[in-house]
Structures are given as structure tokens and as C-alpha cells.
Amino acid sequence: MALADITTPSQETEQASVQGSGWRRSLLIAVPYIWLLVFFLAPFVIVLKISLSDVVLARPPYFPTFDISEGWQGFVAMFQAFDLENYVWLTEDTLYLKSYLSSLKIAFISTMIALVLGYPIAYALAKAPKEWRSTLLMLVILPFWTSFLIRVYAWIGILKKEGVLNYVLLWSGIIDEPLTILNTDAAIYIGIVYSYLPFMILPLYAVLEKLDYSLLEAATDLGCSPFKAFWVITLPLSVSGIWAGCFLVFIPAVGEFVIPDILGGSSTIMIGKTLWVEFFSNRDWPVASAVAILLLIMLIMPIILFQKQQEKQAEASQ
Amino acid sequence: MTRFNWFNATTLTLGFAFLYLPIILLMIYSFNESRLVTVWAGFSTKWYQSVFSNESFMNAAWVTLRVGFISASLATVLGTMAALVLNRAGSFKGKTLFTGMIYATMVMPEVITGLSLLLLFVSLDFTRGFWTVTLAHITFSMCYATVVISARLVTFERSMEEAALDLGCTRFSAFMQITLPIIFPAILAAWLLAFTLSLDDLVIASFASGPGATTLPMKIYSQVRIGVSPEINALSSILIAVVAFGVVTASLITKQAHAKRMKEEQQAHSST
């Protein structure tokens, strides 16, 4: 998959000879590098700084602010005003701990459901006739291009009490009374699985397509049942795809805001939503920053693991 | 394995039904006469008329298109540069950090990216609005552009670039005449991806924007919170149709370009 490609280690010496050196090369490196430093890395330093500040009724609504005209003195004064108050606050109010835990739980369960649903689809794609594959693959990717918000919104009309799903279930006599699905955790699971299923299918497909199916034939020839052959051969050989898919679903699901906000109820709290409320409703920027920093710390492990796994895969495919 | 077996065919049918039914239902109900979304009261295009006569929707659409166009174009330029840095510039100090930032931007939860950019704009005393949303969108979509273009740079043979250099081409003209035409379909795909990402984004835009620059997703979101409305269904259907048309066209163009290139390469090989 594409993500694996950019970490492919290549023949550095040869490259250097192609590109050479000089001001053009420096410029080529400097422009995107500086852009990312300014608009990606610097903002995180600011978030960290504000998470250590206090909330005040002012513009901007935090203290201390760094005044460059005061020079070094101002810098020192700023540091002296920092404290961990916001982080202490996060441990005192159980709302935040609950938000983190429930985000992890919801993301984990959704990832597992996506895996169980995505695996057979990826498998069927990989085994589909060759001339069909690229079209089918495009059909998997296409929903990813249409607006996330709209795809989540589409489920309201289906899941609500007088919605399409209840209508069909009542009409077919499966249930006697309409189910309450919208504004429950179930709706969030459906929303996350639906939105992120392509992320699960694609890396699984990439692995399953390359799988050497003669191994399976050999196993069946030697008296293995198809089920056992799958369990002993196919599954272990697709582990890298399983990991990639799970990370790609789990990581964004933890910080998800739109799905719990639109499909979930008020009793379901997820950390992305808590951060949003803290920022936009309570206007407490320092606490929102502290929530963001802790969320980041929570996600660093899975992100690093994902990157390591991608690098390993890239090396293996060479 | 040239045919579908029944198990795989069923799986695919169910899988695609799950992926597509919600969108199809939404589109069907956008033609519903009744305001009550689930009761079918006859075919009507009146919600489409009401979308086009709704000035706030049209304003938001105009803002979104401009943000998308500018941010996708700049993101593609920066993404092309970054992809060249990753694949052609050799090693340099801080390359790991560079690669790391590109990855991290893509997997970072949107709420964090949005919050951090907002705090940056506040610290720099930028007036929030059209340009801050555009800057935010350039930053996250350039990383996706980098990955798309990088994937193409990795797979094509460098021997052609080297041949051009051996024959006395300058590096710049070798890039313009050899590399750029070859990676052009990837650049086009990257632009489209960046444009769609910008068109779709709600969370980062909500943080980075200020009064006067409401994008279409922000507008839709504020309506969706109130509940389902047939106008939103109609608006969503228009957006889906536009994006689907764009993506399918782009993939056909890419396919054609690929076939043409393969043919040319074959001819070049057979004539030597």
C-alpha cells in the first residue's frame, strides 16, 4: 500500500548523484520542511505551552502570553507562570478519565467489528476474477471520496425511530416495536465501522492478493480441511495486513468527533467530543490543550507501532 | 480462479450493499415531496430548487470551492517537492523528522490538528477566516499529496532520468522533460485528493475559520445538528454526484494515460 512506499529505504548514494547538490536541492528541501515546521510542529509547542497556562477572561483567553518586546525577562516570567494545574484538574474530574476510557473502548470494539466484516470482503476481492478486481477495488475506495459528514448524516435517516431500518423490520414482522438505535452506542459503532471499513479492507486486500494460493492447494492435497487451511496458512500470512488495517481504523476512531456528536447520545462521551465542548462551549483553551496533549500521548504508541510495522512491510516487499 | 464462487459473491454483494445503501437511500429521499424524510409522498425536485435559491448555501459553496482550489493547488506543489525530497534528494540532516512529520499529519486526530493550528493563528495574531482555513487545508492535504506522488516516484525507473543527464540535460530540464510527464497522472490524482479532502473537512475548518468564512461542511453540520432535512439530502446528493463524477473521470484519464505510456515504452524498446 501507498503508505508503505514512502519509507522504502533506497540507494542513497546513487540518489545523491542523480540530484546532486547546490542551492536548488537546498531550496527543494527547505520549502516543504519549513512549511511543516511552521504549520505542524510549532503549533504543538504552542498547545503544550497553553496547556501549562491559566484560563483568563481576556483575548486571548489564557495567561501568560509571551511578549517578545520584553525579551529574555519576559521569557523567564512566562516560564515561572507555568504550572500543571490543568493536568491536575483532568485527574480530579472523572469526566475526562471516563472520556478517555470510553474512547478507547469504542475504538477497540469498532476496530474488531471492522476486522470481522472487512476480512471476508477483502478475501472475496482478492479471489475475484482478475478483470473485475480494479473495478471492485474502486468501488471500495469511492465512498472514501464522498464527504465523511454526509455519509454519517445518511445514517440518521436509517437509524432513527421512524427511520428506514425500523420500517423494514416492522414491515417484515421481525420486531413488533421500533428499536431505539440512534443516540446510543450502537449507532456510534455502526457509524465508525461504516466510515472506516475501506481503511480495513485495503491493507488486507493488499496482503491477500499477494498470497501464494498454491500453499492452500498443497494443504488440501495433504488432507487439510478448508477451514483448517485458512486457520493455519491464510490467517498467519495476512497478519501484517490485519495490523495495518486495525491501526488505520483504531487511531482515527479514538479521536473521532463527528460520529459521536451526530449519531451518539448525550450519555456517550468520547474524548474528541469532550475537547470540542471544552474549547467551543466552555471556552477553556488551556484545559482543551491539556486534553489534546494527553490524547496525543495516548496515541503515540499505536502511531509508532504502525510506522514500524509499515517499515517492516516495505522492507519485506523489496 | 476465474469465476466467483457463491460465498465470495455473497460477501461482496452484502459488503457493497452496506457501503452503498445509505448513500443511495439518501439520494432517493432527496427527491421526496414530503418534508418528513421517511414517508414517501411522491417525486419532486423542489428541494433542489430550494438549495439553489438558498443564499447562505451558495455563499458557503463559493467559499468552499475557493478554499479547495487554492489549497489543493498549493498542496500539490508542496507535495511534489516533498515527494522529490523523500525519493530523490538523498539523505540530509533531519530527514527522519521530515518523514515523521508527513506521516504524523495524516494520522493525527483532526481535533488536535485543528486546535493546534487555531492556537498558532491566535499567537501570530492572524485574523481568522478564509486564509487561515486555506493555510490549514494546505498543511494536511500536502501530506496526502506527498504520499500519492511518492508512490509513483518509487516505482518508475530512474534510468531514464540518468540517460537524460548523460546526454547533457541539466537536472532541471531532465525533471521538466522526463520526470514531470511521467509522474503527471499522480500529480493530477494528488490534486483531486487534496481538493476532495478540503471539500470534506469539517473539524479543522471549524477551528481555523472565523466569522465570514463558513464552509459548506460547517453549514451542513449546523443544519444536521437540528435534524434531517430534505434540503440537506438534496445538497448532499449534489455533492456526492459531483465528487463521484470527478473521481471516475480522473481514474479513466489515469488509465488511458497509463495504457498510452505502456504502448510508447513498448514502441521505444522495439525500435532500438
Side-chain angles (χ1 to χ4, degrees):
Chain A
M1 94 155 282
L3 284 177
D5 292 333
I6 64 166
T7 49
T8 314
S10 32
Q11 310 89 337
E12 305 281 7
T13 45
E14 200 188 311
Q15 273 178 5
S17 73
V18 173
Q19 197 62 41
S21 54
W23 65 271
R24 270 194 179 133
R25 177 173 177 269
S26 310
L27 191 71
L28 180 73
I29 296 172
V31 173
Y33 209 120
I34 291 172
W35 186 283
L36 286 173
L37 284 179
V38 171
F39 289 106
F40 183 72
L41 205 60
F44 282 110
V45 179
I46 296 171
V47 173
L48 186 65
K49 180 207 148 220
I50 290 173
S51 78
L52 299 168
S53 312
D54 295 323
V55 64
V56 288
L57 274 177
R59 267 181 148 230
Y62 53 84
F63 177 85
T65 47
F66 177 50
D67 190 353
I68 200 127
S69 59
E70 286 171 41
W72 179 246
Q73 285 295 315
F75 198 65
V76 173
M78 182 180 79
F79 261 91
Q80 278 163 351
F82 281 164
D83 53 50
L84 290 169
E85 206 181 306
N86 299 309
Y87 292 93
V88 174
W89 166 250
L90 292 190
T91 58
E92 280 169 355
D93 192 329
T94 53
L95 166 77
Y96 302 101
L97 184 66
K98 273 188 198 149
S99 305
Y100 283 113
L101 290 180
S102 107
S103 297
L104 287 176
K105 187 193 95 187
I106 290 173
F108 179 77
I109 295 176
S110 313
T111 308
M112 289 302 112
I113 301 173
L115 177 62
V116 170
L117 292 180
Y119 201 102
I121 298 175
Y123 189 80
L125 274 174
K127 297 268 251 175
K130 245 204 168 86
E131 62 272 22
W132 277 82
R133 266 183 228 165
S134 66
T135 313
L136 290 173
L137 207 58
M138 200 176 110
L139 281 174
V140 174
I141 301 169
L142 199 60
F144 169 72
W145 291 79
T146 53
S147 168
F148 186 74
L149 179 62
I150 291 173
R151 281 183 293 144
V152 175
Y153 162 76
W155 279 95
I156 301 179
I158 298 173
L159 296 178
K160 63 180 189 169
K161 223 172 189 123
E162 58 279 10
V164 181
L165 182 68
N166 272 321
Y167 180 79
V168 172
L169 290 176
L170 284 170
W171 175 78
S172 61
I174 296 173
I175 52 169
D176 300 324
E177 263 181 42
L179 301 169
T180 312
I181 306 174
L182 194 63
N183 301 330
T184 66
D185 284 10
I188 300 182
Y189 293 135
I190 294 173
I192 294 179
V193 170
Y194 176 70
S195 307
Y196 293 109
L197 195 60
F199 288 111
M200 181 62 85
I201 295 174
L202 293 174
L204 281 172
Y205 168 78
V207 176
L208 288 170
E209 201 221 353
K210 283 194 212 117
L211 201 103
D212 184 0
Y213 287 96
S214 62
L215 288 174
L216 285 177
E217 281 165 33
T220 359
D221 287 348
L222 294 169
C224 214
S225 71
F227 180 75
K228 194 174 176 204
F230 172 81
W231 200 250
V232 183
I233 296 169
T234 314
L235 205 60
L237 284 176
S238 55
V239 163
S240 66
I242 294 177
W243 277 116
C246 287
F247 281 128
L248 284 176
V249 176
F250 181 80
I251 295 169
V254 172
E256 188 53 53
F257 162 73
V258 175
I259 296 170
D261 189 63
I262 292 180
L263 297 178
S266 50
S267 62
T268 314
I269 35 175
M270 279 183 82
I271 198 65
K273 205 173 140 188
T274 308
L275 193 156
W276 181 283
V277 169
E278 209 59 72
F279 187 86
F280 285 106
S281 309
N282 302 351
R283 293 195 61 81
D284 194 333
W285 294 16
V287 166
S289 302
V291 171
I293 293 289
L294 285 184
L295 174 58
L296 199 59
I297 291 170
M298 211 161 77
L299 286 178
I300 275 180
M301 262 329 271
I303 290 174
I304 290 174
L305 281 174
F306 173 64
Q307 213 159 322
K308 283 257 149 57
Q309 189 265 336
Q310 286 288 314
E311 276 165 22
K312 225 166 61 189
Q313 212 176 338
E315 272 166 37
S317 69
Q318 275 200 323
Chain B
M1 265 166 282
T2 46
R3 290 186 312 118
F4 286 104
N5 68 30
W6 68 268
F7 177 76
N8 290 342
T10 319
T11 313
L12 286 177
T13 312
L14 289 176
F16 284 121
F18 179 61
L19 285 177
Y20 283 93
L21 265 183
I23 299 172
I24 292 167
L25 280 170
L26 177 112
M27 291 178 121
I28 292 173
Y29 276 106
S30 72
F31 291 106
N32 190 1
E33 171 87 46
S34 162
R35 184 163 268 285
L36 292 168
V37 183
T38 41
V39 185
W40 183 260
F43 182 87
S44 160
T45 54
K46 68 175 177 188
W47 305 117
Y48 286 86
Q49 287 161 12
S50 94
V51 164
F52 283 109
S53 56
N54 184 329
E55 208 170 304
S56 73
F57 280 157
M58 290 298 114
N59 283 338
W62 179 229
V63 170
T64 311
L65 285 177
R66 279 185 315 172
V67 169
F69 193 81
I70 299 172
S71 70
S73 305
L74 278 167
T76 310
V77 173
L78 285 168
T80 311
M81 293 176 91
L84 286 169
V85 170
L86 289 176
N87 293 289
R88 294 290 190 273
S91 59
F92 57 91
K93 239 187 203 165
K95 190 173 180 178
T96 319
L97 176 66
F98 186 71
T99 319
M101 286 195 290
I102 291 199
Y103 266 120
T105 312
M106 293 197 299
V107 290
M108 196 58 65
E110 288 174 315
V111 279
I112 298 186
T113 311
L115 177 74
S116 68
L117 279 165
L118 169 90
L119 295 178
L120 173 80
F121 295 141
V122 171
S123 310
L124 294 174
D125 224 0
F126 278 15
T127 318
R128 278 179 283 146
F130 180 83
W131 286 105
T132 46
V133 178
T134 309
L135 284 173
H137 281 186
I138 293 170
T139 306
F140 78 83
S141 48
M142 75 170 270
C143 298
Y144 287 90
T146 306
V147 171
V148 171
I149 297 164
S150 227
R152 184 75 196 102
L153 277 173
V154 165
T155 53
F156 97 85
E157 283 193 49
R158 204 165 294 153
S159 55
M160 278 198 274
E161 282 170 37
E162 280 160 14
L165 291 176
D166 286 346
L167 292 169
C169 237
T170 65
R171 283 195 185 90
F172 185 67
S173 70
F175 173 76
M176 295 302 277
Q177 292 180 23
I178 309 286
T179 318
L180 200 59
I182 291 178
I183 63 171
F184 190 72
I187 290 179
L188 199 69
W191 189 90
L192 269 173
L193 179 60
F195 187 73
T196 338
L197 286 169
S198 166
L199 222 64
D200 279 359
D201 169 61
L202 163 73
V203 175
I204 293 170
S206 301
F207 276 102
S209 184
T214 307
T215 65
L216 208 49
M218 287 163 71
K219 186 83 206 154
I220 294 175
Y221 174 68
S222 65
Q223 299 273 311
V224 164
R225 297 207 63 173
I226 306 164
V228 180
S229 87
E231 272 132 332
I232 295 294
N233 286 357
L235 182 60
S236 305
S237 305
I238 297 169
L239 284 174
I240 291 169
V242 169
V243 170
F245 178 77
V247 172
V248 173
T249 318
S251 85
L252 288 179
I253 292 173
T254 326
K255 232 180 209 170
Q256 229 164 28
H258 183 74
K260 192 178 155 215
R261 201 178 59 239
M262 295 302 269
K263 210 170 137 193
E264 280 175 356
E265 272 176 28
Q266 229 163 24
Q267 280 171 347
H269 280 297
S270 58
S271 63
T272 50

